[in-house]
Amino acid sequence: MRVTRHIELYATPFEVAEHCAEHFVTAAKAAIDARGRFSVAFAGGATPRLLYEHLAERYQNEIEWEKVFAFWGDERCVPLDHPDSNYRMVRETLLDHVVIPTFHIFPMMTSDDPQRSAVNYEGTLREFFGDAPSTTFDLLLLGMGDDGHTASLFPHTSALQAQQEWVVAHFVDKAKGWRLTLTAPFLNLARQTLVLVTGKTKAERLKEVLSGEYDPNRLPIQRIIPIQGDITWAVDRAAGSALH
Ligand code: 6PG
């Protein structure tokens, strides 16, 4: 099936958040209409905060939140109430403000040994999607680091080589800590992928990623090639300033 890549340029990070919220709502309504549920994998880091806050403020009553199922694309191996926790960030900006049943929220449990956490999360995913899904998340949200990483797929790390695993745990020298991450083959099963990139620091790397040579060990986000479904890059003027 043809995969379509869209690049949407907006003036400011807030406009990126507004349009991504519209994508989120449209995807949620379509999934719930079609299958009675909406599964979303949240991105961590700073960029998506505005999106999550906007969803909480503006779309509390526009989505049947009780039919939403929340997952994460990656996690730092810290307690779930730690300031660096992606789970905590999404809970504070969004989940605490909308009515998603607790048993629909699937954080990567970081209290175990990282390898055990990875195995357990893969079990959670298998329980939800089955053992051989042709598609997974209705919407996958991703960010991009200024080194071209996404989720916790960092350049030149062993996590990039995973083919069979859906979730891997690895120590990331650059992040000075253990990370849990969904693997590229599993991420590529999402029905829709939305990548949020804002800020001047991302501009040169984004140009390399989108129009430079294919170098997925150095630029891991280039491994994100959905098997089916669309990928949309939502970019602000600063991050898109080298794309011309
Ligand atoms: C994380 C994220 C990571 C993030 C990029 C961009 O755990 O940090 O999952 O992949 O999306 O590092 O981060 P910023 O949005 O903070 O620039």
Side-chain angles (χ1 to χ4, degrees):
M1 177 177 173
R2 259 179 61 76
V3 173
T4 310
R5 180 175 90 173
H6 307 275
I7 300 173
E8 297 177 355
L9 279 172
Y10 300 105
T12 65
F14 186 74
E15 280 190 35
V16 167
E18 282 183 312
H19 287 274
C20 287
E22 287 166 15
H23 274 283
F24 187 104
V25 173
T26 303
K29 289 181 175 177
I32 291 166
D33 285 353
R35 292 176 294 279
R37 70 184 194 183
F38 173 60
S39 56
V40 54
F42 287 107
T47 303
R49 290 186 70 99
L50 273 178
L51 164 60
Y52 303 150
E53 288 163 354
H54 189 62
L55 284 168
E57 280 155 30
R58 174 78 180 65
Y59 294 97
Q60 269 186 357
N61 306 312
E62 303 257 324
I63 295 175
E64 293 177 271
W65 289 100
E66 71 280 4
K67 295 179 182 174
V68 176
F69 293 79
F71 298 85
W72 275 257
D74 75 320
E75 187 56 279
R76 294 86 180 274
C77 291
V78 294
L80 294 183
D81 60 356
H82 188 282
D84 290 348
S85 164
N86 287 336
Y87 162 76
R88 172 175 160 176
M89 184 271 284
V90 180
R91 184 176 54 70
E92 286 179 339
T93 54
L94 176 58
L95 302 183
D96 283 350
H97 309 281
V98 293
V99 187
I100 300 185
T102 310
F103 55 92
H104 284 197
I105 299 173
F106 302 97
M108 293 180 170
M109 301 312 286
T110 56
S111 48
D112 293 321
D113 150 79
Q115 306 298 352
R116 169 60 42 209
S117 297
V119 169
N120 290 343
Y121 206 67
E122 182 158 330
T124 298
L125 294 168
R126 287 181 183 280
E127 207 172 306
F128 189 82
F129 292 114
D131 282 331
S134 56
T135 55
T136 55
F137 304 113
D138 295 301
L139 181 62
L140 167 63
L141 298 172
L142 291 173
M144 185 192 82
D146 57 14
D147 60 355
H149 83 261
T150 192
S152 282
L153 298 170
F154 282 80
H156 310 298
T157 58
S158 57
L160 300 180
Q161 309 317 323
Q163 286 304 319
Q164 302 309 316
E165 300 87 341
W166 293 6
V167 190
V168 294
H170 63 141
F171 187 86
V172 180
D173 294 336
K174 179 167 186 185
K176 300 186 179 62
W178 279 88
R179 293 288 188 101
L180 295 167
T181 186
L182 301 187
T183 59
F186 188 75
L187 291 169
N188 285 334
L189 293 175
R191 290 171 182 267
Q192 263 198 76
T193 302
L194 183 54
V195 189
L196 289 77
V197 188
T198 63
K200 188 97 181 106
T201 63
K202 309 277 176 85
E204 285 308 317
R205 194 69 71 196
L206 186 62
K207 180 182 179 182
E208 273 196 281
V209 165
L210 293 179
S211 43
E213 65 175 47
Y214 184 63
D215 189 357
N217 282 326
R218 187 171 66 85
L219 302 169
I221 200 166
Q222 287 185 331
R223 287 173 181 272
I224 303 304
I225 306 171
I227 304 293
Q228 58 179 319
D230 291 348
I231 180 165
T232 300
W233 294 74
V235 177
D236 76 341
R237 183 180 293 132
S241 56
L243 298 178
H244 36 45

